[in-house]
Amino acid sequence: MNVDKEGIFALKKEKSFKTTIGGQALIEGIMMRGPEKAAYVVRGAQGLVSKERKLKPAKEKFFLLRWPFFRGVFNFVGSMRDGMKALTWSAEQFPDDDEADGDTPAKEEEQPSKFSLWLDKKLSSEKVQKAVMTIAVVIGLALSIGIFMLLPAFLTGLIGGDSLGRGITRNLLEGLIRMIILLSYMALVSRMKDIKRVFRYHGAEHKTIACYEAGRELTVENVRGFSRFHPRCGTSFLFMVVIISILVFSLLAPLENMLLGVGADGAVNTSSGIYLLIRTASRLILLPLLVSVSYEINRLIGRFDSLLTRILRAPGLWMQRLTTYEPDDSMIEVGIEALQRVIPSQKGADEWGKGN
């Protein structure tokens, strides 16, 4: 793989301007989210297709969302909801294979049933669409919690049993398993053909934002020279959640031991089933705290440049090797189009640290 020296240099050099604009890769497209609006842009069969929607900051609706450690959870859930909407919209821009190929003769088309007509009418309702989207977000969160939070705790018990004791050793093993599951999942999905194209658009998103932050004109030639790795990526956030979970759960171990009457020798005065239940409950209860702390740390890592922040951001940048690939020029064009649509009218209104 060719290494773009200019891009690596642009990443290492601390930029004087950092934008709050962020993005997400879609199916054959990119979503960019700015301070005033969000833009979805995909490359369809007939060229670029776009959609814009105005944004009202959540902190204007609820004052607690202006405060650190409160805003993280709400922003995380909001990002998931908006991401699902954007992905759904991008998928709708592409017809089914049968429709695209025109394989179905007109004479063989059947009239829709009464149930299909009723279902189509009901699902076209905006309220129903919002409900379906909410259910999808809840299911996505439940699966994520189950796979990346609860499954490692269960596997730790199977591997070590009571021989690990109830302290830091068990929590470190649980954290290691959680990291292995996360990396394995990313490595596997990145090998899928369709997902790999999504990750190429992810790279285009990063390159476009980096070019904008460097003050360069947004052209394909300029964007191409920047790195596909960006310090404020969601991949880095996921890694931070895993690291913070190891620290928090290790600190929590003495409290769990005290509640269950565990002695210094690791002997427990209650059943392993109750212990597993308490461990599971503690992980669910502390999940909002993990997300909030990780969110604030990720903001600091992206805002400041020091030896400490460079060390903290390094693992997240490495993980982006699994979630980003080099885009082609057509993908970069999509990124440029999406970004240009969300740049605020007032210059500098999107600067990191100014009222956000």
Side-chain angles (χ1 to χ4, degrees):
M1 180 182 68
N2 294 329
V3 179
D4 49 354
K5 295 182 179 179
E6 182 182 356
I8 297 298
F9 176 76
L11 179 65
K12 291 182 177 180
K13 180 182 178 181
E14 186 65 15
K15 308 175 186 70
S16 59
F17 174 76
K18 295 183 178 66
T19 181
T20 58
I21 295 175
Q24 174 184 317
L26 306 177
I27 299 173
E28 295 299 327
I30 293 173
M31 174 189 73
M32 289 287 188
R33 183 185 176 98
E36 300 171 356
K37 58 184 177 179
Y40 313 154
V41 179
V42 300
R43 182 174 292 282
Q46 305 302 321
L48 296 184
V49 182
S50 62
K51 175 185 176 181
E52 295 182 10
R53 65 182 185 89
K54 293 184 178 180
L55 300 176
K56 184 177 182 180
K59 63 184 180 182
E60 294 183 7
K61 303 177 184 178
F62 191 39
F63 73 96
L64 281 179
L65 300 186
R66 304 174 187 176
W67 295 1
F69 301 105
F70 283 95
R71 59 193 176 190
V73 173
F74 291 95
N75 285 333
F76 175 68
V77 174
S79 296
M80 284 198 64
R81 182 191 63 237
D82 293 344
M84 287 292 296
K85 288 181 179 179
L87 279 171
T88 301
W89 177 84
S90 66
E92 291 172 350
Q93 307 312 306
F94 301 93
D96 295 335
D97 292 340
D98 291 342
E99 296 176 7
D101 296 338
D103 292 336
T104 305
K107 62 180 181 180
E108 295 183 5
E109 291 183 359
E110 297 181 359
Q111 293 296 324
S113 65
K114 292 183 178 180
F115 176 74
S116 298
L117 292 173
W118 177 85
L119 194 63
D120 183 65
K121 180 180 178 181
K122 293 299 182 181
L123 289 180
S124 64
S125 168
E126 184 177 351
K127 290 184 178 180
V128 174
Q129 289 181 359
K130 288 184 178 179
V132 171
M133 193 60 61
T134 300
I135 293 173
V137 171
V138 171
I139 293 175
L141 282 172
L143 288 174
S144 299
I145 292 171
I147 294 173
F148 299 113
M149 300 301 296
L150 303 184
L151 180 60
F154 175 73
L155 292 178
T156 301
L158 290 180
I159 294 173
D162 292 335
S163 62
L164 291 174
R166 311 293 184 188
I168 294 178
T169 302
R170 176 182 288 268
N171 285 285
L172 289 176
L173 177 59
E174 181 182 327
L176 176 62
I177 293 175
R178 184 174 293 113
M179 182 66 70
I180 291 174
I181 291 175
L182 177 62
L183 291 175
S184 299
Y185 170 79
M186 289 184 172
L188 287 173
V189 299
S190 67
R191 299 176 69 88
M192 299 170 62
K193 181 179 178 181
D194 292 339
I195 298 299
K196 192 168 185 177
R197 284 194 62 83
V198 173
F199 286 173
R200 293 182 71 187
Y201 276 102
H202 191 188
E205 173 222 326
H206 284 184
K207 283 174 170 281
T208 307
I209 291 177
C211 182
Y212 171 65
E213 289 182 317
R216 300 282 296 276
E217 182 182 359
L218 291 175
T219 64
V220 173
E221 183 178 0
N222 286 344
V223 171
R224 193 190 303 123
F226 284 84
S227 174
R228 73 178 198 265
F229 308 124
H230 199 281
R232 293 189 298 281
C233 175
T235 305
S236 301
F237 172 76
L238 289 176
F239 177 83
M240 191 56 61
V241 170
V242 173
I243 296 301
I244 296 299
S245 70
I246 296 174
L247 297 176
V248 171
F249 295 150
S250 295
L251 293 175
L252 183 67
L255 177 60
E256 292 176 339
N257 294 344
M258 181 179 67
L259 291 174
L260 291 170
V262 180
D265 58 352
V268 63
N269 297 330
T270 187
S271 68
S272 297
I274 295 178
Y275 179 74
L276 181 60
L277 179 63
I278 289 181
R279 284 176 63 86
T280 301
S282 68
R283 273 124 187 86
L284 292 175
I285 293 172
L286 289 174
L287 185 59
L289 174 64
L290 298 178
V291 172
S292 297
V293 173
S294 301
Y295 177 84
E296 298 301 329
I297 292 178
N298 215 44
R299 284 176 62 90
L300 291 174
I301 291 174
R303 183 175 181 180
F304 298 104
D305 183 47
S306 64
L307 178 60
L308 177 60
T309 58
R310 286 194 292 270
I311 292 174
L312 290 175
R313 74 170 64 130
L317 292 173
W318 181 87
M319 285 181 66
Q320 289 178 39
R321 296 179 181 276
L322 299 175
T323 61
T324 64
Y325 288 99
E326 288 295 331
D328 59 31
D329 289 354
S330 66
M331 296 172 178
I332 292 175
E333 289 175 355
V334 172
I336 292 174
E337 178 70 18
L339 179 57
Q340 287 177 332
R341 288 175 175 269
V342 301
I343 295 175
S345 53
Q346 182 182 353
K347 186 176 181 179
D350 60 317
E351 185 173 357
W352 193 279
K354 286 192 174 182
N356 47 65

